[in-house]
Amino acid sequence: MMPFVLLWRVPVPDEWLPKVLANLDGVLLDHCHLERKAATSALNLIKYPELAERARELNGIAQEELEHFNLLFGLLKTRGVPFGVPQASPWIGGLMKFIRKGRREQVIDHLIAASLIEGRSCDKFQILAAALKDAEPSIAKMYTELVESEGGHFSSYWLMACEINGEEAHRRLDDFLDLEATLIIQMHDLPILH
């Protein structure tokens, strides 16, 4: 399976996969929380006047993310994993702190951050699907199937940013990709997707 490589400056570090495979239940719990947060993020984007015409599309993304949440929540129940509290991701936190203030700047940056989170998720889902193919075929299948949906969210957010101001979106994407390359290689021991 081809990795979901877009324009990353750095690939997913080799140390990531063994760490998450060693605590798959913890990663599934984290992923469940991330889907809930992704739904909330899509709904929060509706507050920007620049995205008023995209409210239905953003609501659709939120609904898909909640479907994914329900899928993961059911998987946790099946595996006997308690629904614990979410852990903060240094990687996501770093991207979100980079969002500028000022409505027009903020909406473009928020869309780019959301786009990159969806894109990196696709990348990692494909890695997990390949690694779990034999040991956990149903989870591998789930991750394979999630790639298309999350890839669509990646594209939607990016196109929305470009529609607001294409030149500024491309300039900021470059800055975000530089930051992402720095953030992804900062290792931690948390059993989380990102």
Side-chain angles (χ1 to χ4, degrees), residues 16-35:
W16 177 78
L17 183 61
K19 179 180 68 175
V20 297
L21 291 178
N23 194 344
L24 185 58
D25 286 345
V27 172
L28 292 171
L29 173 61
D30 178 63
H31 183 186
C32 188
H33 280 294
L34 289 178
E35 296 292 357

Side-chain angles (χ1 to χ4, degrees), residues 101-112:
K101 301 295 181 210
R103 196 183 79 216
R104 201 165 179 82
E105 295 84 5
Q106 188 170 344
V107 66
I108 289 171
D109 285 3
H110 195 158
L111 287 164
I112 292 171

Side-chain angles (χ1 to χ4, degrees), residues 35 39 58-70 146 148-150 152-153:
E35 296 292 357
L58 289 164
N59 187 54
I61 291 172
Q63 289 175 332
E64 282 186 12
E65 301 291 20
L66 284 176
E67 288 171 12
H68 300 164
F69 168 82
N70 285 330
L146 285 176
E148 183 178 349
S149 173
E150 304 296 355
H153 301 166

